[in-house]
Amino acid sequence: MDLHAELPPAVDADALLGLAEDHHARTVRYVGPREAAGHLVKVYALQARGRKVTERDAEAALEVAAAHLALGRARGSLGLAVLIAHAGGDGDYVLVHSWIEGYMSDLAVFTGPVERPDLLRPGRAGLAPCVWEAAVLAHERETFSRHVLDGTGPLPERLTSWSLDALAGEARRPAPPGCGTPGAPTVRATRAPCGSTTGSALRRRKCSATA
């Protein structure tokens, strides 16, 4: 297929180029590990330009997550989850991602108007993470595999390392080859050295884009 000669009819060239022109970094902040509905939850704040996720916003998102995770056992939940409170450009979003049995995961997306956490409701069927939310979840897949599944220490040590290995900075494009996790976004990441399973071994790394 020669894409220079002709694009498939469903490809919206104008829309894609418009998105590319406005593509920008969004700030990722790690709020920290919390407990909700008996789950260990890693809480992130993700902020569009001109928006901010306050502590109150994070707590409201955690309440939404707790209500969802309360039925986690029925979905095969393993008790570990990631929460993203996203102050977006067109509204607010709360994503609750949990690891479940069989190497699978469960994802719930809640949407609502700006600064109205009381109006957050489940998103439409099929709604998936945006490019910035997906950057956080991509990191979380890697750190779950590395610390929990491939870790060698006692489970409490593995979970400590997992809960402290988090993204922080600006999510936009992949990191340069050989810098940190392959495919991870260009962000400042707080993470354990490879092979470590103890929280005390955590150190700070910084990867900067070359382009």
Side-chain angles (χ1 to χ4, degrees), residues 106-134:
D106 179 86
L107 177 67
V109 181
F110 298 85
T111 68
V114 172
E115 297 180 353
R116 288 299 305 272
D118 56 309
L119 295 181
L120 285 166
R121 298 292 184 269
R124 62 169 175 80
L127 185 62
C130 71
V131 293
W132 298 283
E133 295 158 353

Side-chain angles (χ1 to χ4, degrees), residues 10 37 76 88 123 135 157 177:
E157 291 185 3

Side-chain angles (χ1 to χ4, degrees), residues 32-123:
R34 299 288 189 272
E35 184 175 335
H39 288 64
L40 180 57
V41 183
K42 295 176 70 172
V43 181
Y44 285 94
L46 181 60
Q47 300 168 167
R49 292 177 293 195
R51 298 291 314 283
K52 183 176 182 180
V53 176
T54 66
E55 187 64 31
R56 178 172 171 269
D57 295 331
E59 290 301 321
L62 199 58
E63 291 181 8
V64 172
H68 174 74
L69 293 173
L71 297 175
R73 184 64 66 181
R75 293 188 295 272
S77 176
L78 299 174
L80 303 180
V82 176
L83 167 64
I84 303 174
H86 186 185
D90 58 353
D92 289 344
Y93 300 84
V94 170
L95 280 71
V96 186
H97 176 276
S98 54
W99 294 106
I100 63 175
E101 58 194 10
Y103 301 102
M104 303 291 286
S105 63
D106 179 86
L107 177 67
V109 181
F110 298 85
T111 68
V114 172
E115 297 180 353
R116 288 299 305 272
D118 56 309
L119 295 181
L120 285 166
R121 298 292 184 269

Side-chain angles (χ1 to χ4, degrees), residues 135-160:
V136 177
L137 296 180
H139 170 82
E140 285 303 319
R141 182 269 172 198
E142 191 276 339
T143 191
F144 174 74
S145 298
R146 183 155 58 92
H147 293 299
V148 181
L149 301 182
D150 294 335
T152 57
L155 185 58
E157 291 185 3
R158 300 189 199 190
L159 296 184
T160 295

Side-chain angles (χ1 to χ4, degrees), residues 152-178:
T152 57
L155 185 58
E157 291 185 3
R158 300 189 199 190
L159 296 184
T160 295
S161 292
W162 170 78
S163 68
L164 296 176
D165 187 341
L167 295 184
E170 293 187 335
R172 177 169 182 169
R173 60 172 66 95

